[in-house]
Amino acid sequence: MTTRTRRRTAAPTRPTGRPTGRTRGRWTTAVAVVAAVAVLAAVVATTALLSGTESGDDRQARAGDFGHVHALAVDPGTGRVHLATHHGLYRVDGATSAVRVSAHTSDLMGFAVTGPGHFVASGHPGDGDDGPGNLGLVESTDAGGTWATTSLSGRADFHGLRAAHGALYGYNSTDGAFMVSTDRRTWEHRSLTAIGAFDVNPADPDEVLAVGRNGLQRSTDGGRSWQPLAQTPPLVVLTWPAGQDLYGADAEGVVWHSGDAGTTWQRRGHSGAPARAITGHGTSLYLATADDRVLVSDDGGGSWRTHYEPA
């Protein structure tokens, strides 16, 4: 009988660098965790960008950042002043704090607040923004964090917007059309004119007062026709907050008041700097000046104190 000797074969060598058994599970879990963290970080960054909360320090206003304040209004939901500027929309958070609320730096020529956190605006795209040269009407429902085009993209550059009586009144600087919309998508062309600031009688949707080339002018048919007013101050900004009381300011910062819907005017005070925009909210008046300050008056424009100035 011949005895055969079994030869023991060595176990096959496993390739190096590839985990097996328990280590394979650990390796897979680790990769999944890293991937999840990366995705989460990307989502957080994107959400912050859209909501306007990322890089708050970069959006903190410094002297000269506004370029030019074209309009201001108060959000009734928060009571905070918002400034439509040459470089985007800013929110006043404190005596020396104003923050750009969106990543967009659009040149906002027209701006109005239609409700808590609900804004409309017009103007031109900012650096790096896509789209035509004229924004048309854009709308935000998150207090200016994000914007969506509503109508007239590329065709309208509203240099004035007013929300009143369930409608939106606008002056399109591209062709001089005074326009009104009840749904913000379709517009009625009511006249061709040359005006600057304007406002609507809060008690009468057909009465509009506007700064014209040769002084103030009035419309009593909702902007379809205009009549000049005699002996009015050289106003550059105008607001009609309530009743028959109108307020305005001239290029030198002198503040005026009318108690009879613009027929006669009385000098009230002086802001100390050229006026850029004015609005009323409650019993207060807010005025943006050429030196990037926002002033507030609680006595109808007679005296003013600083509400905001750049740090």
Side-chain angles (χ1 to χ4, degrees), residues 119-303:
F119 305 161
V120 292
S122 187
H124 314 283
D127 294 339
D129 289 346
D130 296 328
N134 294 322
L135 292 177
L137 184 73
V138 294
E139 187 172 17
S140 173
T141 56
D142 57 3
T146 58
W147 296 85
T149 300
T150 303
S151 57
L152 300 177
S153 176
R155 292 181 288 160
D157 171 21
F158 290 111
H159 278 206
L161 289 168
R162 289 292 184 271
H165 307 289
L168 193 62
Y169 299 68
Y171 175 67
N172 185 2
S173 69
T174 63
D175 57 5
F178 190 82
M179 309 164 68
V180 178
S181 175
T182 56
D183 62 5
R184 301 172 193 168
R185 288 168 175 77
T186 57
W187 292 82
E188 177 187 357
H189 289 240
R190 292 191 172 179
S191 64
L192 293 177
T193 185
I195 60 174
F198 73 89
D199 212 340
V200 183
N201 186 336
D204 183 355
D206 287 330
E207 187 169 19
V208 185
L209 205 69
V211 174
R213 289 177 175 172
N214 299 311
L216 295 180
Q217 54 190 50
R218 187 196 311 274
S219 174
T220 57
D221 55 9
R224 295 175 178 85
S225 63
W226 302 86
Q227 299 79 39
L229 295 178
Q231 298 181 339
T232 60
L235 302 181
V236 294
V237 295
L238 178 71
T239 186
W240 199 334
Q244 297 295 298
D245 289 312
L246 284 116
Y247 298 89
D250 61 29
E252 303 302 319
V254 178
V255 180
W256 299 81
H257 167 252
S258 173
D260 54 13
T263 302
T264 61
W265 293 81
Q266 297 79 38
R267 177 171 173 155
R268 286 289 297 155
H270 198 290
S271 66
R276 290 289 183 258
I278 190 171
T279 192
H281 179 69
T283 59
S284 298
L285 295 173
Y286 295 90
L287 182 72
T289 60
D291 55 4
D292 286 355
R293 290 183 301 147
V294 177
L295 309 178
V296 60
S297 173
D298 297 318
D299 59 3
S303 61

Side-chain angles (χ1 to χ4, degrees), residues 13-109:
T13 304
R14 299 184 186 275
T16 58
R18 181 179 300 173
T20 59
R22 296 179 181 176
T23 58
R24 181 182 292 118
R26 294 172 183 170
W27 182 81
T28 303
T29 302
V31 170
V33 169
V34 170
V37 169
V39 170
L40 180 60
V43 170
V44 170
T46 302
T47 303
L49 180 62
L50 293 175
S51 65
T53 58
E54 191 207 11
S55 301
D57 290 342
D58 293 341
R59 294 179 184 166
Q60 177 69 44
R62 304 290 187 268
D65 281 359
F66 297 157
H68 193 291
V69 176
H70 298 129
L72 80 165
V74 177
D75 184 342
T78 63
R80 291 182 176 178
V81 175
H82 287 70
L83 306 171
T85 80
H86 189 69
H87 299 294
L89 181 67
Y90 285 80
R91 181 188 66 237
V92 174
D93 286 345
T96 59
S97 175
V99 177
R100 183 161 47 83
V101 299
S102 172
H104 297 287
T105 58
S106 303
D107 180 9
L108 299 180
M109 302 298 299

